[in-house]
Amino acid sequence: MKAVKRTRKGMRTFLWILLTLAVLLTGCGSGGGSSQRGDAQVTEDSRGSGKAQVLGNGRTTLRIVSGSENAELEPILNEFAEKENIKIEMTYQGSLDIMRLLGEEIPYDAVWPASSLWLTMGDTQHRIKHMESVSITPVVFGIRQSLAEELGFVGREVSVKDILSAIQSGKLRFCMTSATQSNSGASAYIGFLYALLGNPEMITMEDLQNPDLQTQIQELLSGVDRSSGSSDWLKDMFLEGDYDAMVNYECLMIQADQELEQQGKEPLYVVYPYDGLSIADSPLGYVDNGDDQKEEAFLKLQEYLLSDEVQNEIQRTGRRSGYTGVSEENKDVFCTDWGLQPDRVLSPIRMPAADVLNECLNLYQTDFKKPSLNVYCLDYSGSMEGEGNRQLVDAMEQLLIQENARQNYLQASENEVNILIPFAGNVIDVYTAVGNGSEIEELYEKVADQKVGGGTDMYRAAVKGIDMLKEYDLSQYTPAIILLTDGQSGGDFGEFEEAFEELGTEVPVFSIMFGDADETQLQQMADYTNARIFDGRENLTEAFRSVRGYN
């Protein structure tokens, strides 16, 4: 594996310009999957870090919390903001995070998750009004073209059991967002359950106890190579890695294929599982806080997005505006050579009741998905003394104490492995906990009791983490190293690079930046391992929750 020699932020800007200028020169890319309105550019910070992306500069501000997939619409939003003299602040979070927000004091004027399901579940106080679907996109499989041909999936209808058979035969592995952190993963997972149960009218609690279902869904999810907490980041991760397939929104598959085509690489062939197809309907709703001026601005935005002209432009990004196909002028965006079906009539599955859905998500986390193997390399250098250490202990309490973890669907499974490596100038110790019982909660006591002091060498800690991973059959886990540091590290990146190469498999090293941590060092490690950095300087607990959702 070679180190990636550019940052995601730089690559994102480069690809935005490249697609705008060059996509017209290629066959299937001639539709141009990215909007060309305005000057807004989508950056990594605006796609899941929790930072607000500001558009326009008006007196009235609309604060919108949105799914990351809507980041590609920022140029369209930017034109509206400039035209109407309204400032829009876009903050991107997972759909399940948005659902949880609805049960609290919502610090936003509007919500825009991927699916109305999460508004229905979360808005128990009925604070959301004027809710309208802005676009729809199905959740599909994208499989490397040659592999799709080998599997016999090209030019025919494919079922979830066909996909399961390919996984069971060892011919198919795929990437997918976490069903407990992202709508695309949750939607795909519920679709799998429906199909494996034979498409019942409604999934029940009794259905979830079916032994055949449990065996089949475990086998299907055993095919997951990499997980992610964000649909948009999953696409970027896929493009920078070496994977066979991913489950994601149709619109993001189109963007991925446009980028693959520009790079001269093999495209993904899109497969629509006919017996388990789920749909994201992108609802935009207003949070009613009694501010007439904001409500008027929101209604203007919504009217703009639903206008024929803008709906047409949204369709040019690969989203649909209805369930019966796309307009004739936009069919070129939905390239049939890539398996896309612009005329397909979409028949979505029926989502289960809220209590059953909650049980589905809990079972995914504790029983059905491949167990996680988490290596926590935690900085206990002298600079962490005081408030930094207190925040670290509080954050780990939310992950390791299972009653807390359950509130965010982050609880451990019976076979999960958690390894703690406290470090300063050297590795201090190594502690391991297996399962979801007393061991993992005892691990929290180690976190709380560890003293701080000394220098900082995150590379030695990461190398020790790699050494620990060598003791496991990583094909049976979703492994990740989670590194927290608050300073500039001594040590040698080359030592880490050598150890990582010897491991022989791609394991992401996710970093949490805290205090005065050197972002350049962390970015180098993230780029090298196809991972990402999380900013814990404002809220360390949220940063740990976010990174934990990526495996």
Side-chain angles (χ1 to χ4, degrees):
M1 179 182 296
K2 297 180 180 179
V4 179
K5 296 183 180 179
R6 74 262 188 243
T7 65
R8 288 190 193 284
K9 187 180 294 185
M11 187 61 178
R12 182 74 250 170
T13 303
F14 168 75
L15 285 172
W16 185 273
I17 297 169
L18 183 64
L19 284 171
T20 301
L21 295 178
V23 77
L24 294 173
L25 301 179
T26 60
C28 282
S30 62
S34 298
S35 169
Q36 298 176 20
R37 288 182 177 239
D39 298 322
Q41 291 183 338
V42 182
T43 67
E44 176 65 16
D45 280 348
S46 74
R47 289 184 292 113
S49 68
K51 296 179 181 178
Q53 178 79 345
V54 179
L55 308 170
N57 192 31
R59 293 184 177 180
T60 300
T61 299
L62 278 178
R63 297 163 300 170
I64 303 175
V65 60
S66 166
S68 64
E69 66 284 344
N70 288 325
E72 303 299 337
L73 301 182
E74 283 183 6
I76 294 175
L77 296 170
N78 192 61
E79 183 179 85
F80 167 82
E82 292 179 350
K83 178 181 177 182
E84 297 292 339
N85 195 30
I86 292 172
K87 184 164 69 174
I88 298 176
E89 292 183 359
M90 296 292 292
T91 301
Y92 297 99
Q93 295 190 13
S95 291
L96 277 79
D97 288 327
I98 295 174
M99 178 192 75
R100 284 189 282 267
L101 270 178
L102 294 171
E104 306 168 0
E105 290 298 319
I106 310 174
Y108 300 99
D109 305 307
V111 291
W112 198 358
S115 172
S116 55
L117 169 69
W118 310 113
L119 296 186
T120 301
M121 286 188 64
D123 187 26
T124 55
Q125 299 178 46
H126 307 292
R127 288 183 288 177
I128 305 303
K129 59 191 292 189
H130 307 309
M131 188 174 75
E132 294 284 351
S133 172
V134 173
S135 65
I136 66 168
T137 189
V139 179
V140 297
F141 267 82
I143 303 172
R144 212 166 24 85
Q145 179 89 32
S146 58
L147 178 58
E149 291 172 354
E150 179 187 337
L151 294 172
F153 288 173
V154 174
R156 74 172 179 89
E157 289 287 275
V158 177
S159 69
V160 169
K161 288 197 174 181
D162 290 331
I163 293 167
L164 174 59
S165 295
I167 293 167
Q168 290 171 328
S169 68
K171 294 181 179 179
L172 177 64
R173 301 182 69 80
F174 63 97
C175 305
M176 176 177 133
T177 62
S178 167
T180 57
Q181 304 303 316
S182 173
N183 179 72
S184 65
S187 297
Y189 164 63
I190 297 300
F192 298 158
L193 293 177
Y194 258 103
L196 295 174
L197 285 168
N199 298 107
E201 179 67 22
M202 181 71 80
I203 295 179
T204 66
M205 290 289 192
E206 290 74 23
D207 289 329
L208 297 176
Q209 301 306 313
N210 183 313
D212 290 338
L213 170 71
Q214 294 180 349
T215 298
Q216 289 180 324
I217 194 64
Q218 287 170 349
E219 290 176 343
L220 197 155
L221 294 175
S222 73
V224 175
D225 256 339
R226 281 284 301 269
S227 183
S228 166
S230 159
S231 303
D232 203 59
W233 191 82
L234 179 75
K235 180 204 69 178
D236 288 351
M237 180 205 76
F238 183 90
L239 290 170
E240 295 192 10
D242 182 21
Y243 307 104
D244 286 337
M246 71 169 164
V247 173
N248 215 324
Y249 299 120
E250 180 187 53
C251 60
L252 294 184
M253 293 294 184
I254 291 172
Q255 292 170 22
D257 270 344
Q258 288 168 344
E259 294 185 22
L260 288 168
E261 186 175 81
Q262 290 299 322
Q263 296 169 24
K265 295 181 180 178
E266 182 180 20
L268 296 172
Y269 185 85
V270 175
V271 169
Y272 302 77
Y274 68 83
D275 54 349
L277 191 65
S278 53
I279 307 291
D281 61 349
S282 190
L284 176 62
Y286 178 67
V287 181
D288 190 3
N289 290 314
D291 188 323
D292 293 341
Q293 190 174 19
K294 284 185 182 288
E295 185 172 4
E296 181 182 354
F298 171 85
L299 291 172
K300 281 185 179 180
L301 172 62
Q302 191 175 71
E303 181 181 10
Y304 164 81
L305 291 172
L306 296 176
S307 67
D308 290 343
E309 178 187 355
V310 177
Q311 281 287 295
N312 183 70
E313 189 162 356
I314 289 174
Q315 207 172 87
R316 297 294 294 174
T317 70
R319 293 159 173 82
R320 300 174 183 241
S321 54
Y323 290 85
T324 57
V326 302
S327 66
E328 194 66 33
E329 64 184 297
N330 289 328
K331 285 185 178 179
D332 60 317
V333 176
F334 296 76
C335 179
T336 55
D337 287 349
W338 296 338
L340 293 154
Q341 299 178 20
D343 295 322
R344 188 183 186 98
V345 176
L346 302 176
S347 299
I349 62 170
R350 185 177 178 186
M351 285 292 174
D355 60 334
V356 178
L357 178 60
N358 183 63
E359 182 65 9
C360 289
L361 296 177
N362 279 319
L363 286 171
Y364 170 88
Q365 188 68 21
T366 60
D367 290 68
F368 295 162
K369 79 179 183 74
K370 200 157 51 172
S372 298
L373 201 173
N374 308 301
V375 180
Y376 293 99
C377 298
L378 304 183
D379 189 344
Y380 283 88
S381 61
S383 57
M384 286 292 291
E385 187 171 7
E387 180 65 12
N389 182 248
R390 186 192 65 76
Q391 288 189 44
L392 171 60
V393 172
D394 289 348
M396 293 302 291
E397 183 181 20
Q398 297 305 307
L399 300 183
L400 299 177
I401 302 301
Q402 293 303 283
E403 181 180 354
N404 297 333
R406 194 172 294 111
Q407 302 305 311
N408 293 290
Y409 299 109
L410 293 175
Q411 64 269 43
S413 67
E414 183 179 352
N415 297 312
E416 181 170 305
V417 178
N418 285 280
I419 299 171
L420 170 65
I421 302 178
F423 72 92
N426 291 289
V427 170
I428 297 171
D429 213 328
V430 178
Y431 307 100
T432 301
V434 178
N436 52 12
S438 60
E439 282 189 25
I440 191 171
E441 304 213 349
E442 289 169 5
L443 205 62
Y444 166 71
E445 299 301 324
K446 301 295 185 182
V447 171
D449 293 343
Q450 181 63 52
K451 304 301 182 183
V452 300
T456 305
D457 190 344
M458 67 180 183
Y459 298 121
R460 288 189 181 181
V463 169
K464 183 61 178 179
I466 291 170
D467 289 342
M468 295 299 297
L469 290 176
K470 292 176 182 177
E471 300 179 9
Y472 297 87
D473 178 0
L474 297 184
S475 68
Q476 302 303 307
Y477 298 91
T478 304
I481 295 175
I482 300 168
L483 171 69
L484 166 79
T485 185
D486 79 331
Q488 184 170 347
S489 180
D492 182 9
F493 179 77
E495 180 184 0
F496 165 79
E497 187 177 18
E498 181 179 351
F500 193 84
E501 292 290 342
E502 289 178 0
L503 184 62
T505 187
E506 183 177 278
V507 174
V509 179
F510 296 111
S511 299
I512 297 177
M513 183 168 56
F514 193 66
D516 296 322
D518 187 336
E519 186 172 1
T520 303
Q521 290 182 324
L522 298 180
Q523 189 66 58
Q524 182 183 29
M525 189 173 289
D527 283 344
Y528 192 78
T529 65
N530 202 1
R532 63 170 292 187
I533 299 172
F534 295 81
D535 192 341
R537 290 172 295 188
E538 293 187 8
N539 191 321
L540 188 58
T541 298
E542 284 302 315
F544 267 103
R545 285 175 182 166
S546 295
V547 70
R548 183 65 179 84
Y550 276 63
N551 74 323

